[in-house]
Amino acid sequence: MSAEAPRAVVFDSGLGGLTVLGAIRGLRPDVGIVYVADDAAFPYGRLSEAALVGRVGTVMARIVADWRPDIVVIACSTASTLALPHLRAAHPDLPFVGVVPAIKPAAKASRSGLISVLATRGTVARDYTHALVREHAADCEVTLVGSAALAPIAERIMRGEPANDAEIEREIAPCFVEKDSRRTDHVVLACTHFPLLIETLERLQPWPVAFVDPAPAIARRLDSLLGGAPKTAAPRTGALVFTSGRRPEPGLQKALLRYGLEFTPTAAISLATA
């Protein structure tokens, strides 16, 4: 670990990792942040698994060389599931923290025994997710709901576009199950984009549920790996890297400033180089 304040890279396919960044800022304001959005390849759902692993490896090699972080957070469920083993093998001296769908705490906290997992379609389909359900939620009835629309919706809202309530309501409706006088009481947000919509989700829910966000657990894991720190330090402005190299539009820049990020011009990392 460096003698100076530690530096963390927070990586996502787009803007979903901002929810994780917010939790890290709250727990470890001393940590310098480099936020990397692989917008050149967004959304990851359109890539094959092999292409995604290769893409994340290419981007991470460049980012590690350019920024020399002390720790990397892969704030994307898809990339965590598929690429983390390859990243750890390629960078054995660098700690990586991934995202795990918060099925275990949701199952433990559920009183009705009905929980739902709201994720991308790829996460819902993967054996990894089904294994988590078998291991941690055997005593619950789990509804897996895959959405291809919510992550792009969250990206558009972050850019200042209005929310389409009907579209969002349609995507989340299958999460809410009624059975034998019981109702779903916990919904796992298994994509880091989805907590960006939390106010809208809570407003549109047909009855109150607990939406389970993985970000606090990720921040705690980073904290444990970095060790003790002056938790009262003032947060520093973080760097923002878009792999497209494009400067964000003014509306998005304002939103990113609320997360303490300033755009850092950098050479594009195009899909052709992956």
Side-chain angles (χ1 to χ4, degrees), residues 16 19-20 37 55 66 73 84 87 96 119 125 139 142 145 156 164 170 194 197 208 218 220 228 236 269:
T19 61
V20 176
R55 172 64 183 176
D66 287 353
V73 177
L84 264 181
L87 294 174
F96 284 85
D139 295 331
V142 180
V145 179
R156 294 198 299 269
N164 183 326
R170 185 168 58 249
F194 297 170
L197 303 170
I218 298 167
R220 290 193 297 270
R236 295 176 291 164
I269 310 174

Side-chain angles (χ1 to χ4, degrees), residues 8-168:
V9 163
V10 179
F11 173 86
D12 186 31
S13 59
L15 302 175
L18 294 174
T19 61
V20 176
L21 181 151
I24 293 171
R25 288 272 200 205
L27 188 61
R28 290 296 301 262
D30 62 302
V31 173
I33 298 291
V34 180
Y35 187 88
V36 180
D38 190 12
D39 64 322
F42 181 83
Y44 277 174
R46 64 193 175 99
L47 301 180
S48 70
E49 293 189 359
L52 189 149
V53 169
R55 172 64 183 176
V56 174
T58 296
V59 173
M60 196 53 57
R62 165 89 162 270
I63 294 300
V64 169
D66 287 353
W67 292 96
R68 302 195 176 280
D70 297 293
I71 193 167
V72 175
V73 177
I74 304 298
C76 170
S77 294
T78 300
S80 293
T81 303
L82 297 175
L84 264 181
H86 303 273
L87 294 174
R88 286 171 172 150
H91 308 277
D93 298 323
L94 181 61
F96 284 85
V97 179
V99 177
V100 176
I103 293 169
K104 182 178 180 179
K108 187 175 181 180
S110 177
R111 293 186 176 183
S112 70
L114 297 177
I115 69 173
S116 293
V117 179
L118 182 61
T120 63
R121 290 177 179 174
T123 295
V124 163
R126 288 192 182 93
D127 291 340
Y128 176 79
T129 305
H130 291 263
L132 288 175
V133 171
R134 289 193 300 270
E135 183 176 355
H136 299 301
D139 295 331
C140 291
E141 294 182 52
V142 180
T143 301
L144 299 176
V145 179
S147 171
L150 284 179
I153 289 171
E155 294 266 330
R156 294 198 299 269
I157 290 174
M158 285 295 293
R159 288 175 164 81
E161 298 181 26
N164 183 326
D165 283 359
E167 187 179 13
I168 295 172

